[in-house]
Amino acid sequence: MPSDQQMKPLTSKELDYIVDCVSNESALAKHCAAAAASIQNLSVQQALLGFMQKHESHMDMLVQSLQSHQNIAPTQSH
């Protein structure tokens, strides 16, 4: 990666936003799973399971983004 495009530490606002997004994606995946479990129509059930997998994928991408910033995060002294 060129030096002018190196990753910078996340701001607290960015971190809060990503954490909220992870929480939202998790909730959406759980709702899709619950709905799929109660649906009799197989095509609707398959669509909901596909949505669940997509939300889980989004959640994984967000967590990977957090992990990639972990080594450049500023440390806090207590």
Side-chain angles (χ1 to χ4, degrees):
M1 190 177 284
S3 61
D4 62 339
Q5 298 220 339
Q6 288 182 342
M7 285 194 304
K8 296 177 182 166
L10 295 170
T11 66
S12 63
K13 187 174 184 176
E14 291 168 330
L15 183 59
D16 288 344
Y17 179 76
I18 293 172
V19 169
D20 285 347
C21 288
V22 169
S23 177
N24 292 338
E25 291 293 342
S26 176
L28 288 167
K30 288 176 186 174
H31 287 304
C32 288
S38 67
I39 296 291
Q40 299 295 323
N41 184 313
L42 186 60
S43 62
V44 173
Q45 187 180 47
Q46 288 174 337
L48 286 165
L49 291 174
F51 297 147
M52 180 193 74
Q53 290 174 340
K54 196 62 145 170
H55 289 300
E56 288 175 343
S57 173
H58 293 163
M59 193 169 47
D60 290 343
M61 284 189 290
L62 290 163
V63 169
Q64 287 174 4
S65 177
L66 287 174
Q67 289 172 338
S68 70
H69 281 83
Q70 187 174 8
N71 62 340
I72 62 170
T75 57
Q76 292 182 350
S77 57
H78 294 279

